[in-house]
Amino acid sequence: MTVFESPFGSVPVPDVALTPFVFERARALGDKPAFVDAPTGRALTFRQTDDMVRAVAAGLAARGFGKGDVLGLLLPNLPEYPVAFHAAALLGGIATTVNPLYTADELAHQLSDAGAKFLLTIPQFVATASEAAGRSTVKEVFVLGEAEGATPFASLLEPDGSVPEVDIDPREDVVVLPYSSGTTGLSKGVMLTHHNIVANLLQIAAALTVGEDDVVIGVLPFFHIYGQTVIMNASFRAGATTVTMPRFDLEQFCRVIQDHRVTWAFLVPPIVLALAKHPVIDAYDLSSLRVVFCGAAPLSGDLAEAAATRIGCQVRQGYGLTETSPVTHSIGRSNKPGSIGPLLPDTEGKVMDTADGRELGPDADGEIWVRGPQVMKGYLNNPEATASTIDAEGWLHTGDIGHADDDGYFYVVDRVKELIKYKGLQVPPAELEAVLVRHPSVADAAVIPVPDEEAGEVPKAFVVLRQGAEATPDEIMAYVAKHVAPHKKVRRLEFVDEIPKSLSGKILRRVLVDRERELARQGDAAPA
């Protein structure tokens, strides 16, 4: 039996509600900037953030928001995001965090499924928010600033309100309800309790070393559990200053690092790729960076080392899922490029051969399973999906293929559902993408399966060339063929202007797959 355990040991997790835990030292940190809005320079100190959370909680309570009620957050990264999030949490309420790019249909579905009572947004999104609210359970839309048809957020800050005492059961009461496709492809509400998030914050702190002297760039979206837990909450509890960016722009990103002397950058692979390859990087002073931490999708060791060499800082990886609050693995001070690191404290992991139910030993690829206090309570109103993801022994089946080495460092190869089957052999798209972006002419790449009469499926690559670079499809396919086993060769290649990605940085392979299918139906498939 090969069950891997954490080298970080164990951390005691108190039975406390999330907001008092995160804000434990807010008064002591006082006038130190907690959140700074990058475009405007507007800042909230730790004391001001604490005061605003209490004021907004009182305002929400006065409007009938209480324990178990759901607040929808349709916001970019702004200093008010944690304020609204924790105001709901302080009342025993639940925040359901929404992708700001959602259509009214997508937004209405999430709000209805979550049973949201109120929705907070910004003026630019009010039309979409109002349309979705009208088709959901939402009773009132609040807006930062002013917009027709929405209540100003400032009205929640009026004085003389009191925050009611609420009895919160940290292990049972849900505090945040993000949505995830999990391993089945359909969006589901992920019930994360106060205990889940508190545990994960302590686990993260044991592996990472963010402290009061650090400045963190808040570019990853706070609606996503990675940005929410690792940046918004963990950095605040650690006493670091977080500089928020409402949207990603490479030049602004570099300017923020330079001007604010950012020391920690929590990123996703496409941004690390830019750090390694984009020419604009050379125009900025990024020497303040101590650590770049990458998650949300696999990052090759070669790309991590290229970025580290160019920027002159550590590039570490971690791993997790929305369903695990999110972090389960992390590189600490001892790095192995290409590895997501060992397990966090109090987290167990194993690698399973799902075909025959065997536990696999070091270096054997299989599905990664994890177990720990950060594992979700379950999917909202979906016991069947919960049971298919978390088994009777508490093991969460991640849907990711990978292995662990003799030291207990894990490596992710790819998603189970995204593996290409070439003549019955598995071909991981992420592995081929890592090879493709090493080509000097390639800026970005994505690989998907396309049907083939003889092989069943073959890998097709979509490639973005670097500005001014010239290369042919045959040249790039030959380059890949030199670096992979014969069954993994890219058989078709198409040049494109950009690779579709989610805000969290994951390649949207499904968009490319659907495009290919539509072209095939029209009898007009793109040439190989």
Side-chain angles (χ1 to χ4, degrees), residues 51 53 70 80 88 108 149 155 176 179 187 203 231 248 376 479 500:
D51 288 342
V53 165
V70 178
E80 288 82 5
S155 66
V176 64
Y179 274 66
S187 184
Q203 292 169 318
I231 301 175
F248 176 73
M376 67 174 178
Y479 173 85

Side-chain angles (χ1 to χ4, degrees), residues 292-312:
V292 165
F293 188 93
C294 188
L299 179 72
S300 73
D302 288 344
L303 185 55
E305 289 190 291
T309 299
R310 189 180 189 195
I311 303 302

Side-chain angles (χ1 to χ4, degrees), residues 270-512:
I271 304 178
V272 179
L273 176 65
L275 291 175
K277 290 197 168 191
H278 203 286
V280 78
I281 302 299
D282 295 328
Y284 293 90
D285 176 9
L286 308 185
S287 61
S288 61
L289 277 175
R290 290 197 300 114
V291 182
V292 165
F293 188 93
C294 188
L299 179 72
S300 73
D302 288 344
L303 185 55
E305 289 190 291
T309 299
R310 189 180 189 195
I311 303 302
C313 71
Q314 287 186 319
V315 176
R316 305 182 192 172
Q317 268 197 90
Y319 170 84
L321 306 136
T322 304
E323 290 82 353
T324 56
S325 304
V327 191
T328 59
H329 300 68
S330 176
I331 290 287
R333 294 183 182 276
S334 180
N335 197 3
K336 289 189 178 185
S339 171
I340 59 171
L343 293 152
L344 289 186
D346 303 306
T347 306
E348 298 172 284
K350 58 184 178 179
V351 180
M352 299 295 294
D353 184 330
T354 53
D356 61 15
R358 286 187 304 120
E359 293 177 6
L360 301 173
D363 300 322
D365 281 334
E367 185 181 6
I368 297 171
W369 291 10
V370 294
R371 185 166 64 182
Q374 70 272 53
V375 172
M376 67 174 178
K377 184 176 182 178
Y379 292 118
L380 179 69
N381 300 325
N382 201 332
E384 296 83 5
T386 301
S388 69
T389 302
I390 304 173
D391 64 29
E393 295 181 343
W395 289 102
L396 185 140
H397 304 188
T398 69
D400 281 318
I401 295 293
H403 61 269
D405 64 18
D406 288 327
D407 298 323
Y409 279 63
F410 281 70
Y411 297 78
V412 172
V413 179
D414 217 325
R415 295 290 292 169
V416 171
K417 63 184 178 182
E418 292 178 340
L419 286 171
I420 300 165
K421 287 293 187 74
Y422 176 82
K423 295 184 178 179
L425 298 172
Q426 294 182 346
V427 182
E431 183 178 341
L432 295 178
E433 288 154 3
V435 175
L436 282 160
V437 298
R438 291 205 300 263
H439 190 284
S441 296
V442 175
D444 205 357
V447 175
I448 64 167
V450 292
D452 182 84
E453 190 173 24
E454 178 185 351
E457 292 178 336
V458 296
K460 176 175 179 177
F462 294 84
V463 168
V464 179
L465 290 176
R466 297 184 69 180
Q467 188 172 6
E470 293 184 0
T472 66
D474 285 345
E475 176 187 335
I476 295 175
M477 286 192 288
Y479 173 85
V480 175
K482 291 179 181 177
H483 293 86
V484 298
H487 72 277
K488 293 182 180 179
K489 290 194 299 185
V490 171
R491 312 279 166 162
R492 304 178 192 177
L493 189 144
E494 180 181 346
F495 292 129
V496 293
D497 291 330
E498 66 176 355
I499 302 299
K501 293 188 173 83
S502 70
L503 285 183
S504 64
K506 292 185 179 179
I507 293 171
L508 297 175
R509 294 194 185 96
R510 178 55 52 193
V511 172
L512 296 170

